Amino acid sequence: MFSIEVVEKTALLKVCLNGVPCPGELRRLLDAIEVTRGQFGDGYRLWLALPDGGRQVSFEEVGKLDLTMYEARRQGLREVVIETAGETPLCQQVAALLEGLYRSLRVPVTVVSDTVMAKKTLNLLWHG
């Protein structure tokens, strides 16, 4: 349902969702991010790749994200790039929700519509 890629050389944590996780999968995803981000000593950047479509997100899930993101900020989160796979209203709604939550933590956030723009924003075009 998701994959996490750690690129220590560029201090990047890339999270790719293959679908919108149910509450149980969301908990596993948040736990995996918690474990993974400990590999970065001087802070890190987060690249969230969202799938097209999906389902509505509950307030309970948003609360869990909010707490997890606060901890992320405290542990060195420096930048967030949210890549949306599609233009569906639901995908855009989830992207806007995430953008608002990360902005409330005073972390620079960019929402892009494709992988090339995400790599350009993260200055990774020449890193493969």
Side-chain angles (χ1 to χ4, degrees), residues 82-121:
I82 301 169
E83 176 190 339
T84 60
E87 296 296 323
T88 62
L90 193 53
C91 184
Q92 297 303 313
Q93 178 187 14
V94 171
L97 173 67
L98 290 170
E99 179 183 19
L101 288 171
Y102 280 111
R103 283 198 194 281
S104 71
L105 298 174
R106 293 188 170 90
V107 174
V109 180
T110 306
V111 179
V112 298
S113 61
D114 61 42
T115 302
V116 173
M117 285 305 297
K119 285 184 173 187
K120 183 177 179 182
T121 302

Side-chain angles (χ1 to χ4, degrees), residues 45-59:
R45 300 174 301 158
L46 178 62
W47 177 358
L48 291 170
L50 302 179
D52 195 11
R55 62 172 177 79
Q56 292 288 344
V57 179
S58 73
F59 287 113

Side-chain angles (χ1 to χ4, degrees), residues 29-47:
L29 170 64
L30 296 176
D31 289 345
I33 290 172
E34 182 69 30
V35 169
T36 307
R37 72 175 169 222
Q39 298 180 24
F40 302 105
D42 295 329
Y44 66 99
R45 300 174 301 158
L46 178 62
W47 177 358

